[in-house]
Amino acid sequence: MAPKTPQWRELADQIADRIRANEAGFRPGDQLPQIRELVAQGKGSKTTVLAAYKALETEGLVTMARGHGTRVRRPAPHQIRRHQDRYAWEKQQAKRPETERMNNGVVERDTGLGHDQVECHTTFNAIPADLALASRFGVPVGTLMLHRNYWHSTPGDPTALSLIDSYLVHEVAARNPDLLDTSKEPWPGGTQHQLSTIGIEIAEIGDGISCRVATQEEARRLGIPPGSAVLLLDKTSVSTDGDVVEYSHVVLPGDRTSIEYSVPLERWAQ
């Protein structure tokens, strides 16, 4: 005889069915009943209802926030990052007129969203290079670096599409004071165009990709269930002079990111 399904699982399945059926009150962004309301309706004890909501959060159907209740999770855009094409395209963009660069960014390209469907959030600060940063850039420990924190979202939704920490040598970036000004973001043409304004051309970009479980803060900001996987992208840009000129550490939600590569191969000699 099969074991009886726990009451919390039955309740979670009932709510999940209503979410998948797109019922009124169970649509993306809708606030679900408070735990006490379901208890009053006889759906189970506080512990049972909480366990049901926690299961739905783990399964990616709802989000829970202290003081804000439980909401049906909004589906965030899926990103397809084709890095070889992406970087070459961005380099070509750097030489195009501003009117063309303004409405065509890599985020829009990755997600398929329109320019007016993407919001950019930015903070800048100056920090001394630690050993890891100094080694990557080939500069002394303590060298002043420009740390740029970026994240993008869709209007009205605080869910981050990715979390980006970008670094430049401060003295190099300061050759163009606009590069130190957050009000200039989002910058039409991105980092490659920014560097072109101070005479730097990117010759090579190296990617390192790994995977781990999201931290609690990452899961909250990316809108993914606790315990979910994130992809980590370490991107290093090298100039035509052979210098490392920019490094980015990017955290991407594993459930809505695809990274695709196409590698051209030389033909065998006949």
Side-chain angles (χ1 to χ4, degrees), residues 213-244:
V213 173
T215 66
Q216 186 175 7
E217 177 66 9
E218 289 167 348
R220 182 188 68 79
R221 295 187 62 193
L222 293 168
I224 56 179
S228 296
V230 289
L231 296 174
L232 307 178
L233 168 65
D234 290 296
K235 169 177 164 280
T236 304
S237 297
V238 181
S239 73
T240 52
D241 291 331
D243 300 320
V244 171

Side-chain angles (χ1 to χ4, degrees), residues 134-251:
S135 299
R136 188 176 293 272
F137 279 86
V139 298
V141 172
T143 298
L144 195 63
M145 308 294 294
L146 176 63
H147 174 210
R148 309 182 299 174
N149 177 261
Y150 296 100
W151 62 281
H152 298 84
S153 65
T154 54
D157 187 348
T159 303
L161 303 181
S162 62
L163 305 172
I164 306 168
D165 288 288
S166 169
Y167 302 88
L168 304 167
V169 174
H170 195 282
E171 182 181 19
V172 174
R175 295 176 197 165
N176 180 355
D178 284 350
L179 302 189
L180 309 178
D181 186 354
T182 57
S183 71
K184 303 298 182 180
E185 298 288 347
W187 187 287
T191 296
Q192 293 210 41
H193 183 269
Q194 289 176 323
L195 292 174
S196 75
T197 69
I198 52 177
I200 294 175
E201 178 183 355
I202 301 297
E204 178 183 349
I205 296 176
D207 285 344
I209 300 170
S210 58
C211 180
R212 62 163 167 75
V213 173
T215 66
Q216 186 175 7
E217 177 66 9
E218 289 167 348
R220 182 188 68 79
R221 295 187 62 193
L222 293 168
I224 56 179
S228 296
V230 289
L231 296 174
L232 307 178
L233 168 65
D234 290 296
K235 169 177 164 280
T236 304
S237 297
V238 181
S239 73
T240 52
D241 291 331
D243 300 320
V244 171
V245 290
E246 191 268 345
Y247 163 65
S248 292
H249 177 72
V250 186
V251 182

Side-chain angles (χ1 to χ4, degrees), residues 24 33-34 37 39 62 74 121 200 211 216 220 247 254 259:
Q34 297 287 331
E37 294 175 32
V39 172
V62 306
R74 295 180 186 273
H121 313 270
I200 294 175
C211 180
Q216 186 175 7
R220 182 188 68 79
Y247 163 65
I259 298 178

Side-chain angles (χ1 to χ4, degrees), residues 12-232:
D13 289 343
Q14 291 168 12
I15 296 172
D17 287 344
R18 301 182 76 176
I19 291 173
R20 294 188 179 105
N22 203 34
E23 286 188 23
F26 292 83
R27 293 171 180 158
D30 284 350
Q31 178 104 27
L32 295 182
Q34 297 287 331
I35 291 176
R36 63 175 179 274
E37 294 175 32
L38 293 180
V39 172
Q41 293 171 20
K43 300 295 185 180
S45 66
K46 179 179 178 181
T47 300
T48 296
V49 176
L50 180 60
Y53 276 169
K54 285 286 188 184
L56 292 170
E57 182 182 41
T58 299
E59 292 158 15
L61 292 175
V62 306
T63 58
M64 301 178 69
R66 186 180 299 274
H68 296 280
T70 302
R71 291 186 179 273
V72 179
R73 186 182 178 195
R74 295 180 186 273
H78 190 90
Q79 303 177 65
I80 301 177
R81 298 172 67 105
R82 300 180 177 93
H83 284 179
Q84 286 171 297
D85 293 339
R86 187 185 204 262
Y87 299 150
W89 178 84
E90 188 179 15
K91 183 166 183 176
Q92 293 303 314
Q93 280 287 95
K95 303 303 287 183
R96 293 194 171 108
E98 184 174 354
T99 52
E100 291 186 36
R101 289 185 277 110
M102 282 185 64
N103 297 318
N104 293 286
V106 287
V107 175
E108 292 89 339
R109 182 179 171 88
D110 292 343
T111 60
L113 296 172
H115 181 67
D116 60 350
Q117 295 176 294
V118 176
E119 293 182 347
C120 178
H121 313 270
T122 314
T123 58
F124 289 0
N125 64 304
I127 64 168
D130 60 13
L131 180 59
L133 272 179
S135 299
R136 188 176 293 272
F137 279 86
V139 298
V141 172
T143 298
L144 195 63
M145 308 294 294
L146 176 63
H147 174 210
R148 309 182 299 174
N149 177 261
Y150 296 100
W151 62 281
H152 298 84
S153 65
T154 54
D157 187 348
T159 303
L161 303 181
S162 62
L163 305 172
I164 306 168
D165 288 288
S166 169
Y167 302 88
L168 304 167
V169 174
H170 195 282
E171 182 181 19
V172 174
R175 295 176 197 165
N176 180 355
D178 284 350
L179 302 189
L180 309 178
D181 186 354
T182 57
S183 71
K184 303 298 182 180
E185 298 288 347
W187 187 287
T191 296
Q192 293 210 41
H193 183 269
Q194 289 176 323
L195 292 174
S196 75
T197 69
I198 52 177
I200 294 175
E201 178 183 355
I202 301 297
E204 178 183 349
I205 296 176
D207 285 344
I209 300 170
S210 58
C211 180
R212 62 163 167 75
V213 173
T215 66
Q216 186 175 7
E217 177 66 9
E218 289 167 348
R220 182 188 68 79
R221 295 187 62 193
L222 293 168
I224 56 179
S228 296
V230 289
L231 296 174
L232 307 178

